[in-house]
Amino acid sequence: MSGDHALEWLRREGRIVIVGASLAGLRAAETLRKEGFAGSLTLIGDEPHEPYDRPPLSKQVLLGHASADHTELPRRRGLDAQWRLGVAATGLDMAARRVRLADGDEVEYDRLLITTGVRARPWPHPAEAELDGVFVLRTRDDAARLHRRLAASPRRVLVIGAGFTGSEIASACRERGLPVTVAERGAAPLVGALGGVIGQVAAELQRAHGVDLRCGIMVTGLEGDSAGRLRRAHLSDGTTLDTDVAVVSLGATRNTEWLAGSGVGAGPRGIACDAGCRAFDIRGIVTDDIFVAGDVARSPHAIFGYQFLSLEHWGNAVAQAETAAHNMISSSSERRPHLWVPAFWSSQFGVNIKSVGVPSLGEEVIVAQGSLADHRFTGVYGYQGRVIAAVSFDQTKWLEFYQRQIETAAPFPPEYSSVDRRPEGLRPVPADFPDPSLPTHGPSVTVSGYSPTDQRITFTPARA
Amino acid sequence: MRLVVDLNRCQGYAQCAFLAPDVFAMHGEESLLYNPHADEAQREQVRRAATACPVQAILVEYPQEAPAAVEEGLSGVR
Amino acid sequence: MTQDTLLRQITDYANRADPYPLYTELRKKPVRQEGDELFVVSTYWEIKSLLHDPRISSDARNLSPGAAGTLLQEEEASPLPPAFLRLDPPEHDRLRRMTMRPFGPPETPRRVNGMRGELARIVDGLIDGFGDRKQVDIVDDFSYPFPVTVICRLLGIPREDEARFHAWADTIAAGLDPDPGGDPGEQRRATHEARTELGMYLSGLIDERSGAPGDDMLSALVTQHGPDGRMTRMEVLSTAALLLIAGHETTVNLITNGTLTLLRNPDVLERLRDDSRLAVPLVEELLRFEPPVQLLPQRTTLADIDIGGTTIPKGASVWLVLAAGNRDPKRFPDPDRFDPDRPDIQHLGFGSGIHNCFGAPLARLEAQLALTALAQRLDAPRLVEDPPPYRQNAVLRGPRHLNVSFDGLRS
């Protein structure tokens, strides 16, 4: 059978299996159907729920503006798919092209897409993690449980880790009028994602809203009462804190264990794939029939020196899923690279924080517009003399300009004048990221691997 | 009805919060909070909000309407 | 055709009824230099990019002396300081934020939506006022009085003063025309006088409202003390004048252009009559197809900007021709077709970026209600003349009169 015929057959009556029924899995399925895939489509998800949206869980849901049970994602089209929900995938036989399920069933595929995402990193001491009052927040069931507990007016909430999720939880608690302590081992909130300069602004925001923020502090133990209820936390400075709720926000772990021994190049840092979303096997050879997208993927990005990026970003899940789906049913000449410029947002303490590019690659930062003191500004990050990222606090309307600066490798520091450039914005300062070899609480980006050439390519995004 | 807002696209123009204030709310100057499961009675207001969005960031699935009607809502432009 | 004559033709009144072929010509060169320090941008992506470019200023004080000569001088002649429309951040952001507090989210999210019933009553009252006539001027009898009444009520202008307002607003809006025709000195003098009288009138009203505030926006602007503090008296004055003028001329043109477009597309008119929900996408398409603000003539570069194959030098004046960008075939398929069913209508009708139209949600509601009511209530409406006579203004473009005949009113 020639390649063309094989592809035509695949599109008409092939079997595609998607493991991971969340945002990326759903958007991939929609794209497959939109692009004319007429064969059988199976979505496998370990949660019993149909695909739902996670960002509202740490915001609207905790505030009580929306119900955790009603965050299902809208569909762009009918899918005509078999749903295997509430059943985890437990293994993969690459040679036989079969996925094994927790209930003993097996599903065969011609093309496989892996979108298993990440899960919350649990509290490292299992017995303490079992205490009543210790929570994580990743799934909608997590959010429903935490919301119920917050609604019962605990005396104090301890948030362990001041990454984006932890900071948003602290914000929601303050808005509900609850006393909150945040313990962060780094020098400031958000320091892993945005660096110390911007992290100081996040610290000011927290304190201005009444958060008891403690930086450079680790929680060394959680202590329960005789009934197994959390009553206090022990901190690395020798003090203790009475608290009846602790939310563990220590970042995420990639869901790759089910692939152990399968031959797919999967590990704790995710599943490596090429820019076309094809997975590598453990020998570093790219596969033809296994694709990866979303939080679990780790792929080289041309405008960031072909470094492998793992992006736990909502927009990345959507864009990469669409690219993977397209490539799964396209000939090699029609395949597209995943060239999405990283972008994320967070809403906390009434401030809209948005970013484009990869701030954690930044060596220096400049306040290009506005002022840190006003908590309204646009910060621009530089790396080796070019603009590599930007972050805005309540200034999102300017961000698309800086996205273009990143795409075109514009020089850093910016040489031009602009509106609202303050005296403090005339000089770049070190961005002050923590040493990457130290563990941080939930970096949104991890970088590893490097291509031998530091090629610069011209990237012009599709405009329509 | 189910809805989701692509908050990467959203630039805080607040048209949705003006036109469907029971579903979309600005939280501070430019953060948007919304109810992802809007009441059926809000259908026309949600439609007005989604259509007015200057960056077309709002994807709605209207029950009992052909999904194709919303399919292109997020397509096209970055 | 030389570049120079092209821009002159666009501002030439003879081409007011249909500037779109000239815009097509204009788009052949996305960024076109006109004279020494004026650059005209006409393609969608380039306009959108410049609307989000922090190297572009809206503050006339940044114009180089040469470029300033080609532009309007009304600010210099004005007794009021520039309103937020003509300011850059941070002043722009602060004043706009303070103006938003009594108008919209987050502090007042329900004001505009809550006006639906009142707006519908005003519209019905105006149509009832057609009486037994079988022909009306849509401009004078409908699309002018409607938004003007609304903005006056929003600001809290007593009804008995509305007529005086119309006169001032007309004169000031005419002063926004880059090529007003007639004697420019006389034009400037008239604008100055109207601004002065308007300022004095508003000043008196502000005194009244600061003592006895109502629930109108002017009272709120005078008395508010939020996180940004208070507006100075001069800031309240210039903001109120801005809202009045901007809330005036633009929506008039939107509704008139809409009526004209519907009468030229009877199939769409019929659909709207049968299903008022069509008004929602229809108004968006209208904002693309016949935007009431055709171009933004008041921006200045703070640095050299490379765009569309050209370098616009620092200190140049930049015109962004929104109406040409809205018909850019590289962005919209079949752009000269009026099609409310387009799946993708991200028009530039309200601008974009930080200066996006402040009153957009209100303008949308007004146009939706007005066009639906006309479609439903006029029996067999038709144009008396096509094209109708246009206003002089090339920026705020719209018919001066729109005579429509019909067989009668439906209730």
Coordinates of all heavy atoms in Angstrom, one line a residue, chain C residues 244-270:
Chain C
L244 N -19.9 63.9 25.4 CA -21.1 64.5 24.7 C -20.8 64.5 23.2 O -21.7 64.0 22.4 CB -21.2 65.9 25.2 CG -22.4 66.6 24.6 CD1 -23.6 66.2 25.4 CD2 -22.3 68.1 24.6
I245 N -19.7 64.9 22.8 CA -19.4 65.0 21.3 C -19.3 63.5 20.8 O -19.9 63.2 19.7 CB -18.1 65.7 21.0 CG1 -18.0 67.0 21.8 CG2 -17.9 65.9 19.6 CD1 -19.0 68.0 21.5
A246 N -18.5 62.7 21.5 CA -18.3 61.3 20.9 C -19.6 60.5 21.0 O -19.8 59.7 20.1 CB -17.2 60.6 21.7
G247 N -20.4 60.8 22.0 CA -21.7 60.0 22.1 C -22.7 60.5 21.1 O -23.9 60.1 21.2
H248 N -22.4 61.5 20.4 CA -23.4 62.2 19.6 C -23.3 61.8 18.1 O -24.0 61.0 17.7 CB -22.9 63.7 19.8 CG -23.9 64.7 19.6 ND1 -24.0 65.4 18.5 CD2 -24.9 65.1 20.4 CE1 -25.0 66.3 18.6 NE2 -25.6 66.1 19.8
E249 N -22.2 62.3 17.5 CA -22.1 62.2 16.1 C -22.0 60.7 15.6 O -22.5 60.3 14.6 CB -20.9 63.0 15.6 CG -21.0 63.6 14.3 CD -22.1 64.7 14.2 OE1 -22.5 65.2 15.2 OE2 -22.5 65.0 13.0
T250 N -21.2 60.0 16.3 CA -20.8 58.7 15.9 C -22.0 57.7 15.8 O -22.2 57.0 14.8 CB -19.8 58.0 16.8 OG1 -20.2 58.2 18.1 CG2 -18.4 58.8 16.7
T251 N -22.8 57.7 16.8 CA -23.9 56.8 16.8 C -25.0 57.2 15.8 O -25.7 56.4 15.2 CB -24.5 56.7 18.3 OG1 -23.5 56.6 19.2 CG2 -25.4 55.5 18.4
V252 N -25.1 58.5 15.7 CA -26.0 59.0 14.6 C -25.7 58.4 13.3 O -26.5 57.8 12.6 CB -25.9 60.6 14.5 CG1 -26.9 61.0 13.4 CG2 -26.3 61.2 15.8
N253 N -24.4 58.4 13.0 CA -23.9 57.9 11.7 C -24.1 56.4 11.6 O -24.4 55.8 10.6 CB -22.5 58.3 11.4 CG -22.3 59.8 11.1 OD1 -23.3 60.4 10.6 ND2 -21.2 60.3 11.3
L254 N -23.8 55.7 12.7 CA -23.9 54.3 12.8 C -25.4 53.9 12.4 O -25.6 53.0 11.6 CB -23.5 53.7 14.1 CG -23.6 52.2 14.3 CD1 -22.7 51.5 13.3 CD2 -23.3 51.8 15.7
I255 N -26.3 54.5 13.0 CA -27.7 54.2 12.8 C -28.2 54.6 11.4 O -28.9 53.8 10.7 CB -28.6 54.8 13.9 CG1 -28.3 54.2 15.2 CG2 -30.1 54.6 13.5 CD1 -29.0 55.0 16.4
T256 N -27.7 55.7 10.9 CA -28.1 56.1 9.6 C -27.4 55.2 8.5 O -28.1 54.8 7.6 CB -27.7 57.6 9.3 OG1 -28.1 58.4 10.5 CG2 -28.3 58.2 8.1
N257 N -26.2 55.0 8.7 CA -25.5 54.1 7.8 C -26.1 52.7 7.8 O -26.3 52.0 6.7 CB -24.0 53.9 8.2 CG -23.2 55.1 7.9 OD1 -23.6 56.0 7.2 ND2 -22.0 55.2 8.6
G258 N -26.6 52.3 8.9 CA -27.3 51.0 9.0 C -28.6 51.0 8.3 O -28.9 50.0 7.6
T259 N -29.3 52.0 8.5 CA -30.6 52.1 7.8 C -30.4 52.1 6.3 O -31.1 51.3 5.5 CB -31.4 53.4 8.2 OG1 -31.4 53.5 9.6 CG2 -32.8 53.4 7.6
L260 N -29.4 52.9 5.8 CA -29.1 52.9 4.4 C -28.7 51.5 3.9 O -29.2 51.1 2.8 CB -28.0 54.0 4.2 CG -27.5 54.1 2.8 CD1 -28.6 54.6 1.8 CD2 -26.3 55.1 2.8
T261 N -27.8 50.9 4.6 CA -27.3 49.6 4.2 C -28.5 48.6 4.2 O -28.5 47.7 3.2 CB -26.2 49.1 5.2 OG1 -25.2 50.1 5.2 CG2 -25.6 47.8 4.8
L262 N -29.4 48.6 5.1 CA -30.5 47.7 5.1 C -31.4 47.9 3.9 O -31.9 47.0 3.3 CB -31.3 47.8 6.4 CG -30.6 47.1 7.7 CD1 -31.4 47.5 8.9 CD2 -30.5 45.6 7.5
L263 N -31.6 49.2 3.6 CA -32.5 49.5 2.5 C -31.9 49.1 1.2 O -32.5 48.8 0.2 CB -32.9 50.9 2.5 CG -33.8 51.3 3.7 CD1 -34.0 52.8 3.8 CD2 -35.2 50.6 3.5
R264 N -30.5 49.0 1.2 CA -29.8 48.6 0.0 C -29.7 47.0 -0.1 O -29.3 46.5 -1.1 CB -28.4 49.1 -0.1 CG -28.4 50.6 -0.4 CD -26.9 51.1 -0.2 NE -26.8 52.5 -0.7 CZ -25.7 53.3 -0.5 NH1 -24.7 52.8 0.2 NH2 -25.7 54.5 -1.0
N265 N -30.1 46.4 1.1 CA -30.0 44.9 1.2 C -31.3 44.4 1.7 O -31.4 44.0 2.8 CB -28.9 44.5 2.1 CG -27.5 44.8 1.5 OD1 -26.9 44.0 0.8 ND2 -27.0 46.0 1.8
P266 N -32.4 44.5 0.9 CA -33.7 44.2 1.4 C -33.9 42.8 1.9 O -34.7 42.6 2.8 CB -34.6 44.4 0.1 CG -33.8 44.8 -1.0 CD -32.4 44.9 -0.5
D267 N -33.1 41.8 1.5 CA -33.2 40.5 2.0 C -32.8 40.5 3.5 O -33.4 39.8 4.3 CB -32.4 39.5 1.2 CG -30.9 40.0 1.0 OD1 -30.7 41.2 0.9 OD2 -30.0 39.1 1.1
V268 N -31.8 41.2 3.8 CA -31.3 41.3 5.2 C -32.4 42.0 6.0 O -32.7 41.6 7.2 CB -29.9 42.0 5.3 CG1 -29.5 42.0 6.8 CG2 -28.9 41.3 4.4
L269 N -32.9 43.1 5.5 CA -33.9 43.8 6.2 C -35.1 42.9 6.6 O -35.6 43.0 7.7 CB -34.4 45.0 5.3 CG -35.5 45.9 5.9 CD1 -35.0 46.6 7.1 CD2 -36.0 46.9 4.8
E270 N -35.5 42.1 5.6 CA -36.6 41.2 5.8 C -36.3 40.2 6.9 O -37.1 39.9 7.8 CB -37.0 40.5 4.5 CG -38.3 39.9 4.5 CD -38.7 39.5 3.1 OE1 -38.4 40.3 2.2 OE2 -39.2 38.4 2.9

